[in-house]
Coordinates of all heavy atoms in Angstrom, one line a residue:
M1370 N 0.8 -1.2 0.0 CA 0.0 0.0 0.0 C 0.9 1.3 0.0 O 0.5 2.3 -0.6 CB -0.9 0.0 1.2 CG -2.2 0.8 0.9 SD -3.7 0.1 1.6 CE -3.2 -0.6 3.1
E1371 N 2.0 1.2 0.6 CA 2.9 2.4 0.6 C 3.4 2.6 -0.8 O 3.7 3.8 -1.2 CB 4.0 2.2 1.6 CG 3.6 2.7 3.0 CD 4.5 2.2 4.1 OE1 5.7 2.2 4.0 OE2 3.9 1.7 5.1
E1372 N 3.6 1.5 -1.5 CA 4.0 1.7 -2.9 C 3.0 2.5 -3.7 O 3.3 3.4 -4.4 CB 4.2 0.3 -3.5 CG 5.4 -0.4 -3.2 CD 6.6 0.3 -3.8 OE1 6.6 0.4 -5.0 OE2 7.6 0.6 -3.1
E1373 N 1.8 2.1 -3.4 CA 0.6 2.8 -4.1 C 0.6 4.3 -3.8 O 0.4 5.1 -4.6 CB -0.7 2.1 -3.6 CG -1.9 2.6 -4.4 CD -2.1 1.9 -5.7 OE1 -1.4 1.0 -6.0 OE2 -3.0 2.4 -6.5
Q1374 N 0.9 4.6 -2.6 CA 1.0 6.0 -2.1 C 2.0 6.8 -2.8 O 1.8 7.9 -3.3 CB 1.2 6.0 -0.6 CG 0.9 7.4 0.0 CD 1.1 7.4 1.5 OE1 1.7 6.6 2.0 NE2 0.6 8.5 2.1
K1375 N 3.2 6.1 -3.0 CA 4.3 6.8 -3.7 C 3.9 7.0 -5.1 O 4.2 8.1 -5.7 CB 5.6 5.9 -3.6 CG 6.5 6.2 -2.4 CD 7.7 5.3 -2.5 CE 8.1 4.8 -1.1 NZ 8.9 3.6 -1.1
K1376 N 3.3 6.1 -5.7 CA 2.8 6.2 -7.1 C 1.9 7.4 -7.3 O 2.0 8.1 -8.2 CB 2.1 4.9 -7.5 CG 2.6 4.3 -8.8 CD 2.2 2.9 -9.1 CE 0.7 2.7 -9.2 NZ 0.3 1.3 -9.2
L1377 N 1.0 7.5 -6.3 CA 0.0 8.6 -6.4 C 0.7 9.9 -6.2 O 0.3 10.9 -6.9 CB -1.1 8.4 -5.4 CG -2.1 7.3 -5.7 CD1 -3.1 7.0 -4.6 CD2 -2.9 7.5 -7.0
L1378 N 1.6 10.0 -5.3 CA 2.3 11.3 -5.1 C 3.1 11.7 -6.3 O 3.1 12.9 -6.7 CB 3.3 11.1 -3.9 CG 2.7 11.3 -2.5 CD1 3.7 10.8 -1.4 CD2 2.2 12.7 -2.3
L1379 N 3.7 10.7 -6.9 CA 4.4 11.0 -8.2 C 3.5 11.5 -9.3 O 3.8 12.4 -10.0 CB 5.1 9.7 -8.6 CG 6.3 9.8 -9.6 CD1 7.5 10.5 -8.9 CD2 6.6 8.5 -10.2
Q1380 N 2.3 10.8 -9.3 CA 1.3 11.2 -10.3 C 0.9 12.6 -10.2 O 0.8 13.4 -11.2 CB 0.1 10.3 -10.1 CG -0.6 10.0 -11.4 CD -1.7 9.0 -11.2 OE1 -1.5 8.0 -10.5 NE2 -2.9 9.2 -11.8
I1381 N 0.7 13.1 -8.9 CA 0.4 14.5 -8.7 C 1.5 15.4 -9.2 O 1.2 16.4 -9.8 CB 0.1 14.7 -7.2 CG1 -1.2 14.0 -6.8 CG2 -0.1 16.2 -6.9 CD1 -1.5 13.9 -5.3
E1382 N 2.7 15.1 -8.9 CA 3.8 15.9 -9.3 C 3.8 16.0 -10.8 O 4.0 17.1 -11.4 CB 5.2 15.2 -8.9 CG 5.4 15.4 -7.4 CD 5.3 16.9 -6.9 OE1 6.0 17.7 -7.6 OE2 4.6 17.1 -6.0
V1383 N 3.6 14.9 -11.5 CA 3.6 14.9 -13.0 C 2.5 15.8 -13.5 O 2.7 16.6 -14.4 CB 3.5 13.5 -13.5 CG1 3.3 13.5 -15.0 CG2 4.8 12.7 -13.2
L1384 N 1.3 15.6 -12.9 CA 0.2 16.4 -13.3 C 0.4 17.9 -13.1 O 0.0 18.7 -14.0 CB -1.1 16.0 -12.5 CG -1.7 14.7 -12.9 CD1 -2.7 14.2 -11.9 CD2 -2.4 14.8 -14.3
K1385 N 1.0 18.3 -12.0 CA 1.3 19.7 -11.8 C 2.2 20.3 -12.9 O 2.1 21.4 -13.3 CB 2.0 19.8 -10.4 CG 1.0 19.9 -9.3 CD 1.7 20.1 -8.0 CE 0.7 20.0 -6.8 NZ 1.4 19.9 -5.5
E1386 N 3.1 19.4 -13.3 CA 4.0 19.9 -14.4 C 3.3 20.0 -15.7 O 3.7 20.9 -16.5 CB 5.2 18.9 -14.6 CG 6.3 19.2 -13.6 CD 7.3 18.1 -13.6 OE1 7.5 17.4 -14.6 OE2 7.9 17.9 -12.5
E1387 N 2.2 19.2 -15.9 CA 1.5 19.3 -17.1 C 0.6 20.6 -17.2 O 0.1 21.0 -18.2 CB 0.6 18.1 -17.3 CG 1.3 16.9 -17.9 CD 0.4 15.7 -17.9 OE1 -0.8 15.8 -17.9 OE2 1.0 14.6 -18.0
D1388 N 0.3 21.1 -16.0 CA -0.6 22.3 -16.0 C 0.0 23.5 -16.7 O 1.1 23.9 -16.4 CB -0.7 22.7 -14.5 CG -1.9 23.7 -14.3 OD1 -2.2 24.4 -15.3 OD2 -2.4 23.7 -13.2
P1389 N -0.7 24.0 -17.8 CA -0.1 25.1 -18.6 C 0.1 26.3 -17.7 O 1.0 27.2 -18.0 CB -1.2 25.3 -19.6 CG -2.2 24.3 -19.5 CD -2.0 23.5 -18.2
F1390 N -0.6 26.5 -16.6 CA -0.5 27.6 -15.8 C 0.9 27.7 -15.1 O 1.3 28.7 -14.6 CB -1.6 27.7 -14.7 CG -2.9 28.3 -15.3 CD1 -3.1 28.3 -16.6 CD2 -3.8 28.9 -14.4 CE1 -4.3 28.8 -17.2 CE2 -5.0 29.4 -14.9 CZ -5.2 29.4 -16.3
T1391 N 1.5 26.5 -14.9 CA 2.8 26.5 -14.3 C 3.9 26.7 -15.3 O 5.1 26.8 -14.9 CB 3.1 25.2 -13.5 OG1 2.9 24.1 -14.4 CG2 2.1 25.0 -12.3
D1392 N 3.6 26.8 -16.6 CA 4.5 27.1 -17.6 C 5.1 28.5 -17.4 O 4.4 29.5 -17.3 CB 3.8 27.0 -19.0 CG 4.8 27.2 -20.1 OD1 5.9 27.6 -19.9 OD2 4.4 26.9 -21.3
P1393 N 6.4 28.6 -17.2 CA 7.0 29.9 -17.0 C 6.7 30.9 -18.1 O 6.7 32.1 -17.9 CB 8.5 29.7 -16.9 CG 8.7 28.2 -17.0 CD 7.4 27.5 -17.3
G1394 N 6.5 30.4 -19.3 CA 6.3 31.3 -20.4 C 4.8 31.8 -20.5 O 4.5 32.7 -21.2
H1395 N 4.0 31.3 -19.6 CA 2.6 31.7 -19.6 C 2.3 33.2 -19.5 O 1.6 33.7 -20.3 CB 1.9 30.9 -18.5 CG 0.4 31.3 -18.4 ND1 -0.6 31.0 -19.2 CD2 -0.2 32.1 -17.4 CE1 -1.7 31.5 -18.8 NE2 -1.5 32.2 -17.7
A1396 N 2.9 33.8 -18.5 CA 2.6 35.2 -18.2 C 2.9 36.1 -19.3 O 2.3 37.1 -19.6 CB 3.3 35.6 -16.9
S1397 N 4.0 35.8 -20.1 CA 4.5 36.7 -21.1 C 3.8 36.5 -22.5 O 3.9 37.4 -23.3 CB 6.0 36.5 -21.3 OG 6.3 35.2 -21.5
D1398 N 3.0 35.4 -22.6 CA 2.4 35.3 -24.0 C 0.9 35.4 -23.9 O 0.1 34.6 -24.5 CB 2.8 33.9 -24.6 CG 2.3 32.7 -23.9 OD1 1.5 32.9 -23.0 OD2 2.7 31.6 -24.3
N1399 N 0.4 36.4 -23.3 CA -1.0 36.6 -23.1 C -1.7 37.3 -24.3 O -2.8 37.6 -24.3 CB -1.3 37.5 -21.9 CG -1.5 36.6 -20.7 OD1 -1.7 35.4 -20.8 ND2 -1.4 37.1 -19.5
A1400 N -0.9 37.5 -25.4 CA -1.4 38.2 -26.6 C -2.6 37.5 -27.2 O -3.7 38.1 -27.5 CB -0.3 38.4 -27.6
A1401 N -2.5 36.2 -27.5 CA -3.6 35.5 -28.2 C -4.6 34.9 -27.2 O -4.3 34.2 -26.3 CB -3.0 34.3 -29.0
V1402 N -5.9 35.3 -27.5 CA -7.0 34.9 -26.6 C -7.2 33.4 -26.7 O -7.5 32.8 -25.7 CB -8.2 35.7 -26.9 CG1 -9.4 35.2 -26.1 CG2 -8.0 37.2 -26.7
D1403 N -7.2 32.9 -27.9 CA -7.5 31.5 -28.1 C -6.4 30.6 -27.4 O -6.8 29.5 -26.9 CB -7.6 31.1 -29.6 CG -6.4 31.3 -30.4 OD1 -5.6 32.3 -30.0 OD2 -6.1 30.6 -31.3
T1404 N -5.2 31.1 -27.3 CA -4.2 30.3 -26.5 C -4.6 30.3 -25.1 O -4.5 29.2 -24.4 CB -2.8 31.0 -26.7 OG1 -2.5 31.2 -28.1 CG2 -1.7 30.1 -26.1
D1405 N -5.1 31.4 -24.6 CA -5.5 31.5 -23.2 C -6.6 30.5 -22.9 O -6.6 29.8 -21.9 CB -6.0 32.9 -22.9 CG -4.9 33.7 -22.1 OD1 -3.8 33.2 -22.0 OD2 -5.2 34.7 -21.6
V1406 N -7.6 30.4 -23.8 CA -8.7 29.5 -23.7 C -8.2 28.1 -23.6 O -8.6 27.3 -22.7 CB -9.8 29.7 -24.8 CG1 -10.8 28.6 -24.7 CG2 -10.4 31.1 -24.7
R1407 N -7.3 27.8 -24.5 CA -6.8 26.4 -24.6 C -6.1 26.1 -23.3 O -6.2 25.0 -22.7 CB -5.9 26.3 -25.8 CG -5.9 24.8 -26.3 CD -5.3 24.7 -27.7 NE -4.1 25.5 -27.9 CZ -3.9 26.4 -28.9 NH1 -4.8 26.6 -29.8 NH2 -2.8 27.0 -29.0
E1408 N -5.3 27.1 -22.8 CA -4.6 26.9 -21.5 C -5.5 26.7 -20.4 O -5.3 25.9 -19.5 CB -3.6 28.0 -21.3 CG -2.4 28.0 -22.1 CD -1.4 29.1 -21.8 OE1 -1.8 30.0 -21.1 OE2 -0.3 29.0 -22.3
Q1409 N -6.6 27.5 -20.4 CA -7.6 27.3 -19.3 C -8.2 25.9 -19.3 O -8.3 25.3 -18.2 CB -8.7 28.4 -19.6 CG -9.8 28.4 -18.5 CD -9.2 28.8 -17.1 OE1 -8.5 29.9 -17.0 NE2 -9.4 28.0 -16.1
V1410 N -8.6 25.4 -20.5 CA -9.1 24.1 -20.6 C -8.1 23.1 -20.1 O -8.5 22.2 -19.3 CB -9.6 23.7 -22.0 CG1 -9.9 22.3 -22.2 CG2 -10.7 24.6 -22.5
G1411 N -6.9 23.2 -20.5 CA -5.8 22.3 -20.0 C -5.7 22.4 -18.5 O -5.5 21.3 -17.9
H1412 N -5.7 23.6 -18.1 CA -5.5 23.8 -16.6 C -6.7 23.1 -15.8 O -6.4 22.5 -14.8 CB -5.5 25.3 -16.3 CG -5.5 25.6 -14.9 ND1 -4.5 25.5 -14.1 CD2 -6.5 26.1 -14.1 CE1 -4.8 25.8 -12.8 NE2 -6.0 26.3 -12.8
D1413 N -7.9 23.3 -16.3 CA -9.1 22.7 -15.7 C -9.0 21.2 -15.6 O -9.3 20.5 -14.6 CB -10.4 23.1 -16.3 CG -10.7 24.6 -16.0 OD1 -10.0 25.2 -15.2 OD2 -11.6 25.1 -16.7
T1414 N -8.6 20.6 -16.8 CA -8.4 19.1 -16.9 C -7.4 18.6 -15.9 O -7.7 17.7 -15.1 CB -8.0 18.7 -18.3 OG1 -8.8 19.4 -19.2 CG2 -8.1 17.2 -18.5
V1415 N -6.3 19.3 -15.9 CA -5.2 18.9 -14.9 C -5.6 19.0 -13.5 O -5.4 18.2 -12.7 CB -3.9 19.7 -15.2 CG1 -2.9 19.5 -14.1 CG2 -3.3 19.3 -16.6
E1416 N -6.3 20.2 -13.2 CA -6.8 20.4 -11.9 C -7.8 19.3 -11.4 O -7.7 18.9 -10.3 CB -7.5 21.8 -11.8 CG -7.5 22.3 -10.4 CD -7.5 23.8 -10.4 OE1 -8.5 24.4 -10.8 OE2 -6.5 24.4 -10.0
A1417 N -8.7 18.9 -12.3 CA -9.6 17.9 -12.0 C -8.9 16.5 -11.7 O -9.2 15.8 -10.7 CB -10.6 17.7 -13.1
E1418 N -7.9 16.3 -12.5 CA -7.1 15.0 -12.3 C -6.3 15.1 -11.0 O -6.3 14.1 -10.3 CB -6.2 14.8 -13.5 CG -6.8 14.1 -14.6 CD -5.9 13.9 -15.8 OE1 -4.8 13.2 -15.5 OE2 -6.2 14.3 -16.9
I1419 N -5.8 16.2 -10.7 CA -5.0 16.4 -9.4 C -6.0 16.2 -8.2 O -5.7 15.5 -7.3 CB -4.4 17.7 -9.3 CG1 -3.2 17.8 -10.3 CG2 -3.9 18.0 -7.9 CD1 -2.5 19.2 -10.3
K1420 N -7.2 16.7 -8.3 CA -8.2 16.6 -7.3 C -8.5 15.1 -7.1 O -8.6 14.6 -5.9 CB -9.5 17.3 -7.7 CG -10.0 18.2 -6.6 CD -11.1 19.1 -7.1 CE -12.3 19.1 -6.2 NZ -13.4 19.8 -6.8
D1421 N -8.8 14.4 -8.2 CA -9.1 12.9 -8.1 C -7.9 12.1 -7.5 O -8.2 11.3 -6.6 CB -9.2 12.4 -9.5 CG -10.7 12.5 -10.0 OD1 -11.5 13.1 -9.3 OD2 -11.0 12.0 -11.1
T1422 N -6.7 12.4 -7.9 CA -5.5 11.7 -7.4 C -5.3 12.0 -5.9 O -5.1 11.1 -5.1 CB -4.3 12.1 -8.2 OG1 -4.6 12.0 -9.6 CG2 -3.2 11.1 -7.9
T1423 N -5.5 13.3 -5.5 CA -5.4 13.7 -4.1 C -6.4 13.0 -3.3 O -6.1 12.5 -2.2 CB -5.6 15.2 -4.0 OG1 -4.7 15.9 -4.9 CG2 -5.3 15.7 -2.6
K1424 N -7.6 12.8 -3.8 CA -8.7 12.1 -3.1 C -8.3 10.7 -2.8 O -8.5 10.1 -1.7 CB -10.0 12.2 -3.9 CG -11.1 11.4 -3.3 CD -12.4 12.2 -3.1 CE -13.3 11.5 -2.1 NZ -13.1 10.0 -1.9
R1425 N -7.8 10.0 -3.9 CA -7.3 8.6 -3.8 C -6.3 8.5 -2.7 O -6.2 7.6 -1.9 CB -6.8 8.1 -5.1 CG -7.9 7.6 -6.0 CD -7.3 6.6 -7.0 NE -7.0 5.3 -6.3 CZ -6.3 4.4 -6.9 NH1 -5.8 4.5 -8.1 NH2 -6.1 3.2 -6.3
L1426 N -5.4 9.5 -2.7 CA -4.3 9.5 -1.8 C -4.8 9.6 -0.3 O -4.3 8.9 0.6 CB -3.3 10.7 -2.1 CG -1.9 10.6 -1.5 CD1 -1.2 9.4 -2.0 CD2 -1.2 11.9 -1.8
E1427 N -5.8 10.4 -0.1 CA -6.4 10.6 1.2 C -7.1 9.3 1.6 O -6.9 8.9 2.8 CB -7.4 11.7 1.2 CG -6.7 13.1 1.5 CD -7.6 14.2 1.1 OE1 -8.8 14.1 1.0 OE2 -7.1 15.3 0.9
D1428 N -7.8 8.7 0.7 CA -8.4 7.4 1.0 C -7.4 6.3 1.4 O -7.6 5.5 2.2 CB -9.2 6.9 -0.3 CG -10.5 7.7 -0.5 OD1 -10.8 8.5 0.4 OD2 -11.1 7.5 -1.5
L1429 N -6.3 6.4 0.6 CA -5.2 5.4 0.9 C -4.6 5.6 2.3 O -4.3 4.7 3.0 CB -4.1 5.6 -0.2 CG -3.3 4.4 -0.5 CD1 -4.1 3.2 -1.0 CD2 -2.2 4.7 -1.5
K1430 N -4.4 6.9 2.7 CA -3.9 7.2 4.0 C -4.9 6.7 5.1 O -4.5 6.1 6.1 CB -3.7 8.7 4.1 CG -2.4 9.2 3.7 CD -2.2 10.7 4.1 CE -1.1 11.3 3.2 NZ -1.3 12.8 3.2
M1431 N -6.1 6.9 4.8 CA -7.2 6.4 5.7 C -7.1 4.9 5.8 O -7.2 4.4 7.0 CB -8.5 6.9 5.2 CG -9.7 6.5 6.0 SD -10.0 7.8 7.3 CE -11.4 8.6 6.5
A1432 N -6.9 4.3 4.7 CA -6.9 2.8 4.7 C -5.7 2.3 5.6 O -5.7 1.3 6.3 CB -6.7 2.3 3.3
M1433 N -4.6 3.1 5.5 CA -3.4 2.7 6.2 C -3.6 2.9 7.7 O -3.1 2.1 8.6 CB -2.2 3.5 5.7 CG -1.7 2.9 4.4 SD 0.0 3.3 4.1 CE -0.2 4.9 3.2
E1434 N -4.4 4.0 8.1 CA -4.7 4.2 9.5 C -5.6 3.0 10.0 O -5.3 2.5 11.1 CB -5.6 5.4 9.6 CG -4.8 6.7 9.6 CD -3.8 6.8 10.8 OE1 -4.3 6.5 12.0 OE2 -2.6 7.0 10.6
L1435 N -6.5 2.5 9.1 CA -7.4 1.4 9.5 C -6.5 0.2 9.7 O -6.8 -0.7 10.6 CB -8.5 1.2 8.4 CG -9.5 2.3 8.4 CD1 -10.4 2.0 7.2 CD2 -10.4 2.3 9.6
L1436 N -5.5 0.0 8.8 CA -4.7 -1.1 8.9 C -4.0 -1.2 10.2 O -3.9 -2.2 10.9 CB -3.6 -1.1 7.8 CG -2.8 -2.3 7.5 CD1 -3.7 -3.4 7.0 CD2 -1.7 -2.0 6.5
K1437 N -3.5 0.0 10.7 CA -2.8 0.1 12.0 C -3.8 -0.3 13.1 O -3.4 -0.9 14.1 CB -2.4 1.5 12.2 CG -1.0 1.8 11.7 CD -0.5 3.2 12.1 CE 0.1 3.9 11.0 NZ 0.1 5.4 11.2
K1438 N -5.0 0.1 13.0 CA -6.0 -0.2 14.0 C -6.6 -1.6 13.9 O -7.5 -2.0 14.7 CB -7.2 0.8 13.9 CG -6.8 2.2 14.4 CD -8.0 3.1 14.2 CE -7.6 4.6 14.2 NZ -8.6 5.4 13.5
G1439 N -6.2 -2.3 12.8 CA -6.7 -3.7 12.6 C -8.1 -3.7 12.1 O -8.8 -4.7 12.2
R1440 N -8.5 -2.6 11.5 CA -9.8 -2.5 10.9 C -9.8 -2.4 9.4 O -10.8 -2.2 8.8 CB -10.5 -1.2 11.4 CG -10.8 -1.1 12.9 CD -12.1 -1.7 13.3 NE -13.2 -1.0 12.6 CZ -14.4 -1.6 12.4 NH1 -14.7 -2.8 12.9 NH2 -15.3 -0.9 11.8
Y1441 N -8.7 -2.7 8.9 CA -8.6 -2.7 7.4 C -9.3 -3.8 6.8 O -9.2 -5.0 7.3 CB -7.1 -2.6 7.0 CG -6.9 -2.6 5.5 CD1 -7.3 -1.5 4.7 CD2 -6.4 -3.7 4.8 CE1 -7.2 -1.5 3.3 CE2 -6.3 -3.7 3.4 CZ -6.7 -2.6 2.7 OH -6.6 -2.7 1.3
G1442 N -10.0 -3.6 5.7 CA -10.7 -4.7 5.0 C -12.0 -5.0 5.6 O -12.7 -5.9 5.2
V1443 N -12.5 -4.1 6.5 CA -13.8 -4.3 7.1 C -14.6 -3.1 6.6 O -14.2 -1.9 6.7 CB -13.7 -4.3 8.6 CG1 -15.1 -4.5 9.2 CG2 -12.8 -5.4 9.1
C1444 N -15.8 -3.4 6.1 CA -16.7 -2.3 5.6 C -17.1 -1.4 6.8 O -17.5 -1.8 7.9 CB -17.9 -2.9 5.0 SG -19.1 -1.7 4.5
M1445 N -16.9 0.0 6.5 CA -17.2 0.9 7.6 C -18.7 1.1 7.8 O -19.1 1.7 8.8 CB -16.6 2.3 7.2 CG -15.1 2.3 7.4 SD -14.4 3.9 7.0 CE -14.9 4.9 8.4
R1446 N -19.5 0.6 6.9 CA -20.9 0.8 7.0 C -21.6 -0.4 7.7 O -22.4 -0.3 8.6 CB -21.5 1.1 5.7 CG -23.0 1.5 5.7 CD -23.4 2.1 4.4 NE -24.8 2.4 4.3 CZ -25.7 1.6 3.8 NH1 -25.3 0.4 3.3 NH2 -27.0 1.9 3.7
C1447 N -21.3 -1.6 7.2 CA -22.0 -2.8 7.7 C -21.1 -3.8 8.5 O -21.5 -4.8 9.0 CB -22.6 -3.6 6.5 SG -21.5 -4.4 5.4
N1448 N -19.8 -3.4 8.6 CA -18.8 -4.1 9.4 C -18.5 -5.5 8.9 O -17.9 -6.4 9.6 CB -19.2 -4.2 10.8 CG -19.0 -2.9 11.6 OD1 -18.0 -2.3 11.3 ND2 -19.9 -2.5 12.4
K1449 N -18.9 -5.8 7.6 CA -18.6 -7.1 7.0 C -17.2 -7.0 6.4 O -16.8 -5.9 6.1 CB -19.6 -7.5 6.0 CG -20.9 -8.1 6.5 CD -21.8 -8.6 5.4 CE -23.2 -8.5 5.7 NZ -24.1 -8.4 4.6
D1450 N -16.6 -8.2 6.2 CA -15.3 -8.2 5.5 C -15.5 -7.8 4.1 O -16.4 -8.2 3.4 CB -14.7 -9.6 5.6 CG -14.1 -9.9 6.9 OD1 -14.0 -8.9 7.8 OD2 -13.9 -11.1 7.2
I1451 N -14.6 -6.9 3.6 CA -14.6 -6.6 2.2 C -13.8 -7.7 1.4 O -12.7 -8.1 1.8 CB -13.9 -5.2 2.0 CG1 -14.6 -4.1 2.8 CG2 -13.8 -4.9 0.5 CD1 -13.9 -2.8 2.8
P1452 N -14.4 -8.2 0.4 CA -13.8 -9.3 -0.4 C -12.4 -9.0 -0.8 O -12.1 -7.9 -1.3 CB -14.7 -9.6 -1.6 CG -16.0 -8.9 -1.2 CD -15.7 -7.8 -0.3
Q1453 N -11.4 -9.9 -0.7 CA -10.0 -9.7 -1.1 C -9.9 -9.2 -2.5 O -9.1 -8.4 -2.8 CB -9.3 -11.0 -0.9 CG -8.9 -11.3 0.5 CD -8.0 -10.2 1.1 OE1 -7.1 -9.7 0.5 NE2 -8.3 -9.8 2.4
A1454 N -10.8 -9.8 -3.4 CA -10.7 -9.4 -4.8 C -10.9 -7.9 -5.0 O -10.3 -7.3 -5.8 CB -11.8 -10.2 -5.6
R1455 N -11.8 -7.4 -4.2 CA -12.1 -6.0 -4.3 C -11.0 -5.2 -3.7 O -10.6 -4.1 -4.2 CB -13.4 -5.7 -3.5 CG -13.7 -4.2 -3.3 CD -15.2 -4.0 -3.0 NE -15.4 -2.6 -2.5 CZ -15.4 -1.5 -3.3 NH1 -15.1 -1.6 -4.6 NH2 -15.6 -0.3 -2.8
L1456 N -10.4 -5.6 -2.6 CA -9.2 -4.9 -2.0 C -8.0 -4.9 -2.9 O -7.2 -4.0 -2.9 CB -8.8 -5.6 -0.7 CG -9.8 -5.3 0.5 CD1 -9.4 -6.1 1.7 CD2 -9.9 -3.8 0.8
K1457 N -7.9 -6.0 -3.7 CA -6.8 -6.0 -4.7 C -7.0 -5.0 -5.7 O -6.0 -4.3 -6.1 CB -6.8 -7.4 -5.3 CG -5.4 -8.0 -5.3 CD -5.4 -9.4 -5.8 CE -4.1 -10.0 -5.8 NZ -4.1 -11.4 -6.3
L1458 N -8.2 -4.8 -6.1 CA -8.5 -3.8 -7.2 C -8.5 -2.4 -6.7 O -8.0 -1.5 -7.3 CB -9.9 -4.2 -7.7 CG -10.2 -3.9 -9.2 CD1 -9.4 -4.9 -10.0 CD2 -11.7 -4.1 -9.5
V1459 N -9.1 -2.2 -5.5 CA -9.2 -0.9 -4.8 C -8.6 -1.0 -3.4 O -9.3 -1.2 -2.5 CB -10.6 -0.4 -4.8 CG1 -10.7 1.1 -4.4 CG2 -11.4 -0.7 -6.1
P1460 N -7.3 -0.9 -3.3 CA -6.6 -1.1 -2.0 C -7.2 -0.1 -0.9 O -7.1 -0.5 0.3 CB -5.2 -0.8 -2.2 CG -5.0 -0.7 -3.7 CD -6.3 -0.4 -4.3
E1461 N -7.7 1.0 -1.3 CA -8.2 2.0 -0.3 C -9.7 1.9 0.0 O -10.2 2.7 0.7 CB -7.8 3.4 -0.8 CG -8.7 3.9 -2.0 CD -8.1 3.5 -3.3 OE1 -7.4 2.5 -3.4 OE2 -8.3 4.3 -4.3
A1462 N -10.3 0.8 -0.5 CA -11.7 0.6 -0.3 C -12.1 0.6 1.1 O -11.4 -0.1 1.9 CB -12.2 -0.7 -1.0
R1463 N -13.1 1.3 1.5 CA -13.6 1.4 2.9 C -15.0 0.7 3.0 O -15.4 0.6 4.2 CB -13.6 2.8 3.4 CG -12.3 3.2 4.0 CD -12.3 4.7 4.4 NE -12.3 5.5 3.2 CZ -12.8 6.8 3.2 NH1 -13.4 7.2 4.2 NH2 -12.6 7.5 2.1
Y1464 N -15.6 0.5 1.9 CA -16.9 -0.1 2.0 C -17.0 -1.4 1.1 O -16.3 -1.5 0.1 CB -18.0 0.9 1.5 CG -18.0 2.2 2.2 CD1 -17.4 3.3 1.7 CD2 -18.6 2.2 3.5 CE1 -17.4 4.5 2.4 CE2 -18.6 3.4 4.2 CZ -18.0 4.6 3.7 OH -18.0 5.7 4.4
C1465 N -17.9 -2.3 1.4 CA -18.1 -3.4 0.6 C -18.9 -2.9 -0.6 O -19.4 -1.8 -0.7 CB -18.8 -4.5 1.3 SG -20.5 -4.1 1.7
I1466 N -19.0 -3.8 -1.7 CA -19.6 -3.3 -2.9 C -21.0 -2.9 -2.7 O -21.5 -1.9 -3.2 CB -19.5 -4.4 -4.0 CG1 -18.0 -4.6 -4.4 CG2 -20.3 -4.1 -5.2 CD1 -17.7 -5.8 -5.1
E1467 N -21.8 -3.7 -1.9 CA -23.2 -3.4 -1.6 C -23.3 -2.0 -1.0 O -24.2 -1.2 -1.4 CB -23.9 -4.4 -0.7 CG -24.2 -5.7 -1.4 CD -23.1 -6.7 -1.3 OE1 -22.9 -7.3 -0.3 OE2 -22.3 -6.8 -2.3
C1468 N -22.5 -1.7 0.0 CA -22.6 -0.4 0.7 C -22.2 0.7 -0.2 O -22.7 1.8 -0.2 CB -21.8 -0.4 2.0 SG -22.5 -1.5 3.2
K1469 N -21.1 0.5 -1.0 CA -20.7 1.5 -1.9 C -21.8 1.9 -2.8 O -22.0 3.0 -3.1 CB -19.5 0.9 -2.7 CG -18.9 1.8 -3.7 CD -17.8 2.7 -3.1 CE -17.4 3.8 -4.1 NZ -16.6 4.8 -3.5
K1470 N -22.5 0.8 -3.3 CA -23.6 1.1 -4.2 C -24.7 1.9 -3.5 O -25.2 2.8 -4.1 CB -24.2 -0.3 -4.7 CG -23.6 -0.7 -6.0 CD -24.4 -1.9 -6.5 CE -23.5 -2.9 -7.3 NZ -24.1 -4.2 -7.3
A1471 N -25.0 1.5 -2.3 CA -26.0 2.1 -1.5 C -25.7 3.6 -1.3 O -26.5 4.5 -1.3 CB -26.3 1.4 -0.2
L1472 N -24.4 3.8 -1.0 CA -23.9 5.2 -0.7 C -23.9 6.1 -1.9 O -24.1 7.3 -1.8 CB -22.6 5.1 0.0 CG -22.5 4.6 1.4 CD1 -21.1 4.3 1.8 CD2 -23.1 5.7 2.3
S1473 N -23.6 5.5 -3.1 CA -23.5 6.4 -4.3 C -24.8 6.7 -4.9 O -24.9 7.4 -5.9 CB -22.5 5.7 -5.3 OG -23.0 4.5 -5.6
K1474 N -25.9 6.2 -4.4 CA -27.2 6.4 -5.0 C -27.6 7.8 -4.7 O -27.3 8.4 -3.6 CB -28.2 5.5 -4.3 CG -28.5 4.3 -5.3 CD -29.5 3.3 -4.6 CE -29.3 2.0 -5.3 NZ -29.9 0.9 -4.5
Ligands
ZN1951 ZN1 -20.8 -3.0 3.7

């Protein structure tokens, strides 16, 4: 799981570099409006991805906390064990599939 965390941190770093707003040349080339629009779209996309990745990272941290408490792999809603197959796919899962479905409704 710590490996996964490192991967996500790295992903955030990469995404930040992709953000056109962090391009040092950005401030000086404000002449063309369409370039600005394109940069804005790129910025929004990157920002959304960073948000997603940050959320996963937080979930992962939470999962590691649960692991320390010996509560990892137990659904936070119904207290049933989360199937191993699901944990393999989503290491930060905090709910079993049924509860996840019920919560996302
Ligand atoms: Zn459950």
